[in-house]
Amino acid sequence: MEPNRDNNKNKPQKPEGNKPKGYLTPLMIALVLVLVFSWVMNTVKKSQYTETRWDQFVEAKDSNQLAEVEIQSDRVLYMTKEEAEKEPSQQKACFTGLPSGDRMALADELAAMGVEVKQPIVEDNSMIMMILSYAIMIGAMYLLMTMLTRRMGGDGMMGGFGKSKAKVYMEKQTGVTFKDVAGQDEAKESLQEIIDFLHNPQKYTAIGAKLPKGALLVGSPGTGKTLLAKAVAGEADVPFFSISGSDFVEMFVGMGASRVRDLFQQAAKVAPCIIFIDEIDAVGRSRDTRYGGNSEQEQTLNQLLAEIDGFDSTKGIVCLAATNRPEILDKALLRPGRFDRRIVVDNPNFQGRLDTLKVHTRKIKLSEDVDLKKIAHATAGCVGADLANLVNEAALRAVRMGRKFVNQEDLMASIDTVVAGAEKKNTVLTETEKRLVAYHEVGHALVSTLEKKSMPVSKITIVPHTEGALGYTMYLPEEEKYLSTKDELLSQVRGILGGRAAEQVVFNVQTNGASNDIQKATALARHMVSLYGMSDELGLMATASVHSQYLDGQAHQDCSQETAFKVDMAVQKILNQCYEDAKGILMNNRALLDEISEFLLVKETITGDELMAFVNADKNKLPAPESEQEAAEE
Ligand code: ADP
Ligand code: ZN
């Protein structure tokens, strides 16, 4: 059940189309540089002198054959008179090593002979070569760096290396108001003060009140944190800067910090405004090593802290940040004067879901049979983003079907898409597999239905879905529930194990199709033992603690090895007992199980009402099993 939430995030995206070109330009430049280099090398080579022996030079000198001489630190360049008379292009100059090193004596001697002697300024062209090769190396390095930064997604342009162009998105007007955010009344109320402050900071400063600098929006993904932040900007009618925490974390140390600086500088120019940092846990994770930080992230975080402390809140900059893992944030971020306010954005309850559906169907043409309440009932556990997705799917389906209005059927079908992935047309089950799946699902449904305390079933299907489920049973909570008793939890475990129990009772087989059920049942039983204090063995002792309350709610074991062993035993006891109970229920109602399963095999999908019809008919047919047994005992 992981619906695609990214579909309806309408954040601006960075255009990515011209990436390949980005590689070409530095490559071309590097190529040109290499060509230039080899040309220079060639020219230098051509103009080079032919080497001769020292005695050849002495001979030429003694026979007065020298036309010009250039004395360098370690060698002598010279041209004979014979050569000097030729065309300049044909001339051949020579050089020879200078053995004694006594340049002045040689120069004086040659001058006395009337030879033209030159003392060069640049002694050697190997120097030029050296400088040249250094320049080229630096150039190549530079190009490499530019290419790397581009690959890492940085925007460092040629000539602007190190100067980050942060991916900051500024919206002058978000166009979103609180009306667009359904439910979340408490969050809205807390944010109201910030809006008021952005409107009228003087009111607060006059009294001497310190102005709020930041607030942390905490909640599961897709609950509307970004939407709320935008709505605050919209309500206050101020510009909205948004950046994601992961954008700060860069390949190069120092880059993130410079982005933070950039962001606050830009914001200061247009204050009052809202700065929204999504996924702040990417930069704000605790600097202690338990959660694995690194120096780049630490630097960025330090810069962020410095900027938050530094800005003048009387100008009206408010920093909102969102996270679903507040527990890993660095304590320094949460200190007074920073993100000291925590605003919880909860998963919507029934009313919240209904309101969200209403918001998202505002611009959609609905036919008269649409009952949003039913949809809201059936989507317990879905967050705002799921519901937005659902409405859109329904609209798309209506278009596909060639209708001008969205009807209830479209919406119901979209629940399937959102909850369990789109219907998979091409998974073909063999007849035996289909029977197994049908009995498995009816096993779930029947155990749950026959248990008085369990939720009624809304739908059973054996149509395979893309996300891997070969069939599923959907439950329909009658009312929003916050508390569960031990009995209710046990009967839930029995319901979850009912699928495997049916396989065992009817076919005497065990399939891998139940693996998800077994995980769920185990997790529930483990919670009962280690968190809720519901086992006889361990009593009230909690043996685990929940860390990521807003993410997956995973519990981490928190006890000694011996206790952990006892926990495992207690969990196993619960599971075994519930499994036996489930098998018992199914064996006692075998006729009903067969009847419903055969019906499901034919229809592939049955509703909760149809299931109840079977169950009620069965009740009327036979006397209740308990009274039967009592009669027997008597
Ligand atoms: P988050 O930032 O919490 O991950 P978003 O704010 O990006 O979630 O929500 C994604 C989309 O889901 C929004 O653009 C909106 O269409 C829808 N949505 C989420 N919560 C609500 C809500 N309370 N009311 C209306 N729409 C919502
Ligand atoms: Zn199952």
Side-chain angles (χ1 to χ4, degrees):
M1 296 227 282
E2 255 311 294
N4 189 1
R5 285 177 185 123
D6 286 337
N7 284 354
N8 34 24
K9 289 216 170 184
N10 43 8
K11 293 172 187 165
Q13 294 288 321
K14 193 179 98 168
E16 307 221 344
N18 52 5
K19 259 205 177 146
K21 261 195 215 156
Y23 291 109
L24 274 178
T25 339
L27 268 178
M28 293 281 280
I29 292 169
L31 214 72
V32 169
L33 273 180
V34 168
L35 284 178
V36 169
F37 180 59
S38 57
W39 178 75
V40 170
M41 286 287 286
N42 264 341
T43 359
V44 170
K45 249 199 202 128
K46 262 191 206 147
S47 68
Q48 258 172 5
Y49 300 75
T50 30
E51 186 169 8
T52 60
R53 291 193 312 275
W54 175 249
D55 62 272
Q56 281 175 305
F57 167 73
V58 174
E59 196 189 307
K61 182 186 68 166
D62 291 348
S63 55
N64 204 2
Q65 280 292 308
L66 293 175
E68 12 174 312
V69 175
E70 189 178 319
I71 301 174
Q72 299 185 338
S73 60
D74 58 343
R75 58 184 176 174
V76 182
L77 312 179
Y78 67 96
M79 196 185 282
T80 57
K81 279 181 180 158
E82 192 187 331
E83 292 289 327
E85 276 156 18
K86 289 186 188 167
E87 290 275 299
S89 58
Q90 312 250 307
Q91 288 171 348
K92 253 171 77 186
C94 306
F95 78 91
T96 183
L98 184 58
S100 68
D102 189 359
R103 303 162 46 175
M104 294 322 287
L106 184 63
D108 288 346
E109 189 189 340
L110 287 168
M113 288 168 70
V115 181
E116 198 182 319
V117 179
K118 275 196 253 170
Q119 296 280 351
I121 308 162
V122 178
E123 291 209 312
D124 212 67
N125 49 25
S126 64
M127 193 72 153
I128 306 177
M129 301 285 292
M130 221 161 72
I131 293 171
L132 208 68
S133 54
Y134 272 120
I136 285 172
M137 245 156 65
I138 291 167
M141 289 276 278
Y142 167 75
L143 286 174
L144 204 75
M145 298 294 256
T146 329
M147 269 159 76
L148 264 177
T149 21
R150 274 163 186 251
R151 187 177 305 190
M152 300 323 292
D155 289 11
M157 293 298 291
M158 299 278 301
F161 178 61
K163 191 182 161 235
S164 79
K165 300 216 170 103
K167 281 184 273 184
V168 177
Y169 299 114
M170 210 258 279
E171 285 179 57
K172 276 239 161 66
Q173 278 158 341
T174 57
V176 178
T177 63
F178 276 164
K179 276 202 209 101
D180 300 302
V181 187
Q184 309 297 1
D185 292 330
E186 281 161 53
K188 282 183 196 167
E189 205 172 294
S190 323
L191 289 166
Q192 192 61 48
E193 195 185 8
I194 290 180
I195 295 167
D196 192 39
F197 152 63
L198 286 169
H199 270 310
N200 194 358
Q202 290 81 22
K203 196 167 92 187
Y204 291 79
T205 43
I207 263 188
K210 264 218 184 120
L211 301 163
K213 278 190 171 180
L216 192 64
L217 298 164
V218 175
S220 313
T223 44
K225 298 182 292 295
T226 313
L227 195 68
L228 267 168
K230 277 191 182 171
V232 171
E235 291 280 333
D237 200 17
V238 296
F240 179 75
F241 284 86
S242 77
I243 188 164
S244 169
S246 53
D247 291 345
F248 287 133
V249 183
E250 276 285 335
M251 167 86 178
F252 294 109
V253 175
M255 207 74 145
S258 96
R259 289 202 163 168
V260 174
R261 241 181 340 260
D262 261 21
L263 173 65
F264 279 85
Q265 263 167 20
Q266 287 185 35
K269 278 184 212 145
V270 296
C273 65
I274 297 256
I275 297 175
F276 177 64
I277 305 175
D278 206 356
E279 302 167 42
I280 195 168
D281 39 291
V283 276
R285 74 174 58 223
S286 168
R287 281 167 292 187
D288 83 22
T289 46
R290 190 149 59 106
Y291 302 107
N294 58 50
S295 70
E296 159 64 349
Q297 179 246 321
E298 234 167 76
Q299 257 194 34
T300 312
L301 175 57
N302 288 338
Q303 186 67 39
L304 186 63
L305 293 174
E307 293 291 345
I308 292 173
D309 287 344
F311 75 70
D312 179 6
S313 57
T314 51
K315 287 216 183 97
I317 300 179
V318 172
C319 213
L320 296 177
T323 182
N324 43 32
R325 310 175 67 187
E327 74 285 346
I328 69 161
L329 291 183
D330 200 280
K331 295 286 166 291
L333 261 179
L334 308 174
R335 272 215 293 273
R338 293 171 182 162
F339 293 101
D340 49 359
R341 291 166 178 233
R342 180 178 291 210
I343 295 169
V344 176
V345 186
D346 266 327
N347 288 16
N349 58 9
F350 169 72
Q351 193 57 44
R353 290 197 300 275
L354 184 58
D355 291 344
T356 310
L357 285 169
K358 279 184 188 154
V359 165
H360 285 279
T361 48
R362 262 196 317 228
K363 290 198 186 112
I364 300 235
K365 290 188 181 125
L366 297 177
S367 78
E368 278 175 7
D369 68 331
V370 168
D371 181 359
L372 290 179
K373 274 189 186 156
K374 267 199 182 145
I375 308 293
H377 258 311
T379 47
C382 287
V383 295
D386 298 334
L387 297 172
N389 197 6
L390 184 150
V391 171
N392 196 48
E393 286 287 336
L396 291 178
R397 186 174 185 270
V399 173
R400 252 199 324 269
M401 302 281 184
R403 264 187 266 105
K404 290 227 164 66
F405 298 91
V406 173
N407 62 21
Q408 185 74 359
E409 204 191 318
D410 294 327
L411 288 163
M412 288 307 272
S414 307
I415 296 180
D416 291 2
T417 333
V418 172
V419 171
E423 280 194 22
K424 205 180 194 178
K425 302 251 159 39
N426 46 5
T427 303
V428 187
L429 294 179
T430 63
E431 215 36 51
T432 346
E433 281 173 335
K434 230 168 139 182
R435 285 190 87 77
L436 262 168
V437 175
Y439 270 93
H440 177 106
E441 296 307 333
V442 175
H444 283 305
L446 205 54
V447 171
S448 307
T449 310
L450 294 175
E451 295 256 4
K452 293 173 282 288
K453 295 184 186 80
S454 188
M455 324 180 230
V457 170
S458 76
K459 176 178 166 180
I460 315 169
T461 174
I462 53 168
V463 179
H465 280 61
T466 34
E467 282 178 14
L470 296 176
Y472 62 86
T473 304
M474 236 160 74
Y475 297 94
L476 188 72
E478 265 165 301
E479 78 228 39
E480 211 65 30
K481 281 193 81 161
Y482 297 100
L483 281 178
S484 301
T485 63
K486 182 176 174 181
D487 281 345
E488 282 165 341
L489 290 173
L490 282 175
S491 80
Q492 257 186 50
V493 177
R494 283 194 281 270
I496 297 171
L497 292 175
R500 164 58 69 87
E503 291 172 13
Q504 185 71 49
V505 166
V506 179
F507 303 96
N508 196 21
V509 294
Q510 302 172 342
T511 69
N512 60 357
S515 75
N516 187 29
D517 293 342
I518 287 170
Q519 273 182 18
K520 265 199 284 183
T522 310
L524 193 54
R526 191 170 283 281
H527 276 174
M528 288 174 65
V529 175
S530 57
L531 291 175
Y532 312 148
M534 288 179 179
S535 70
D536 304 329
E537 290 85 347
L538 289 134
L540 292 176
M541 186 164 88
T543 56
S545 50
V546 177
H547 289 308
S548 316
Q549 193 186 347
Y550 293 97
L551 202 60
D552 49 7
Q554 248 182 20
H556 296 261
Q557 208 166 59
D558 218 3
C559 59
S560 73
Q561 294 277 320
E562 290 77 36
T563 318
F565 179 74
K566 276 194 217 158
V567 171
D568 289 344
M569 289 297 115
V571 169
Q572 202 167 47
K573 199 178 118 193
I574 292 180
L575 290 175
N576 287 344
Q577 187 56 52
C578 287
Y579 184 55
E580 290 307 319
D581 291 349
K583 279 201 290 195
I585 293 172
L586 291 178
M587 280 190 282
N588 286 340
N589 295 277
R590 180 62 201 267
L592 190 56
L593 175 63
D594 288 336
E595 201 181 352
I596 302 173
S597 300
E598 295 304 328
F599 184 65
L600 177 62
L601 265 172
V602 177
K603 285 202 63 180
E604 297 208 332
T605 304
I606 60 176
T607 64
D609 292 337
E610 283 169 312
L611 178 78
M612 286 317 287
F614 276 106
V615 174
N616 290 333
D618 189 68
K619 258 189 207 149
N620 297 339
K621 244 190 300 192
L622 293 168
E626 283 114 327
S627 51
E628 203 181 19
Q629 225 165 22
E630 271 166 25
E633 270 165 19
E634 278 170 7

